[in-house]
Amino acid sequence: MQRQRLVILGSTGSIGTSTLDVVARHPDRFDVVGLSAHQRVDDLVAQCLRWTPRWATVPDEPRARVVRDALRAHGVPTQVLSGPQALCDMAADADVDSVMAAIVGAAGLPPCLAAARAGKRLLLANKEALVVGGALFMQAVKQGGATLLPIDSEHSAIFQCLPQQRAHWAETIDHIVLTASGGPFRQRDPATLHSVTPEQAIAHPNWTMGRKISVDSATMMNKALEVIEARWLFDLPPEQVKVVIHPQSIIHSMVVCRDGSVLAQLGTPDMRGPISYGLSFPQRIESGAARLDFAALSALTFEEADAHRFPGLHLSWAALRGPEGSTTVLNAANEVAVAAFLDRQIGFDAIYRINADTVDAVPPQLGDTPALADLLALDERARAHARQRAQELAR
Ligand code: NAD
Ligand code: MG
């Protein structure tokens, strides 16, 4: 068995640390060669002491100096790099086999593209990268000969249910069903949603995750982003991607086949499951996730997603049917709106208004084959509009 040389982009986050947890169980399989952090440099230093990677990347030189000094004091030879280009260089380096893309938000797109173009085995948690640049991303995967492995639990579930040969996917799938827990406000009176606090919004019933995706789960914008992610990963038209609420988060998603059979993937809600599958595909390795105890399970239940309670969910299908770039605009608006909500500038229900208004107000106007720079310029235009809306809606 050949050892995998692994870079983890966003190693200090929820997915990043879960990845290191799985890797630590298999010292014979993986070499951690690159790590990256945005703000939590102390955590990054601790990770470098434990893993002695070849590289560690932070956003700027002042933070790089802090990390360098700390590592030098411990005699750790890690090279400390800084800036967005360093993330791309690390992800594309010839001495790297696999890249875990676990940065949150559109900031993760450039290094994902770099890894895809360099033909890496690319483990994709960073769903926003596909939402911002789906067509460009998938083209880079194809041209670079990369192996794209979904880490989002729903998409990993679909991937695990599908035939291993991609050529058979289209003839297999009638439609797919992404499951959604419904988040913390599934049963709350929608009329009271304007008063929820960031603390209430990030208290997810089943999963422990980063703050942004936790808010996205509460608005169900997370599922909206996942519908768009699925469209690209599995090359499906929007109408073949459906969503159902399944509050227990035991069935991680389902494929409804052409013959009416339904294939589902089940497990305890623990991201180490899909992460380990991405790391070991096509084999399976110990992940640390608890085994399902069927005798202790209560019922598995399903509900329709309530459009009145979760209006954001439907923005996904609308954006996929809109002009190219509409999903880029939607994602940018949502990143701005969630940050404003977490900063207590706007109420929870303003997130949807900002997202819907920005998609209406910012025409993408992309050419036929938009490049990364075009997408990033559109992303910036949408952010500017969303920031202005957030100011208007400020409490
Ligand atoms: P997180 O906030 O816990 O971690 C984000 C990581 O990205 C951190 O290491 C941070 O330092 C880094 N980062 C943040 N902003 C950055 C920037 N501008 N430039 C470079 N690095 C930056 O987030 P998370 O919950 O681990 O989620 C990461 C990604 O995985 C997201 O796209 C999320 O949607 C997806 N995802 C997460 C889960 C989960 O259970 N946490 C499940 C499915 C998918
Ligand atoms: Mg998910």
Side-chain angles (χ1 to χ4, degrees), residues 41 44-45 56 58 63-72 80:
V41 290
L44 183 67
V45 168
V58 290
R63 275 177 270 207
R65 273 194 290 277
V66 173
V67 177
R68 254 179 230 129
D69 290 347
L71 293 183
R72 198 173 300 130
V80 183

Side-chain angles (χ1 to χ4, degrees), residues 176-305:
I176 63 172
V177 182
L178 304 180
T179 53
S181 69
F185 306 138
R186 182 173 60 91
Q187 290 175 312
R188 186 177 168 128
D189 176 1
T192 68
L193 282 178
H194 64 278
S195 64
V196 309
T197 63
E199 290 73 22
Q200 290 169 322
I202 64 180
H204 196 277
N206 303 344
W207 301 90
T208 314
M209 313 179 284
R211 279 158 39 104
K212 194 256 176 185
I213 184 176
S214 297
V215 175
D216 285 346
S217 298
T219 57
M220 268 184 86
M221 269 310 291
N222 181 50
K223 212 51 56 181
L225 300 176
E226 290 182 357
V227 167
I228 300 165
E229 182 186 15
R231 179 264 171 271
W232 290 110
L233 283 173
F234 306 113
D235 193 20
L236 293 172
E239 55 277 10
Q240 276 178 271
V241 185
K242 301 188 182 188
V243 170
V244 71
I245 296 206
H246 166 48
Q248 297 83 16
S249 299
I250 297 295
I251 296 181
H252 296 148
S253 280
M254 298 174 267
V255 177
V256 180
C257 303
R258 286 285 165 94
D259 59 2
S261 279
V262 182
L263 303 177
Q265 186 265 340
L266 289 72
T268 47
D270 185 329
M271 286 307 293
R272 291 175 300 178
I275 289 168
S276 71
Y277 191 64
L279 286 168
S280 64
F281 172 83
Q283 294 167 287
R284 288 183 186 265
I285 56 175
E286 175 57 48
S287 68
R291 304 302 185 250
L292 258 188
D293 177 356
F294 284 97
L297 269 186
S298 58
L300 300 182
T301 60
F302 305 91
E303 299 162 17
E304 198 170 331

Side-chain angles (χ1 to χ4, degrees), residues 151-167:
I151 298 300
D152 216 344
S153 58
E154 297 76 2
H155 307 73
S156 173
I158 302 288
F159 183 70
Q160 292 182 53
C161 292
L162 286 173
Q164 274 198 9
Q165 277 187 323
R166 211 165 271 259

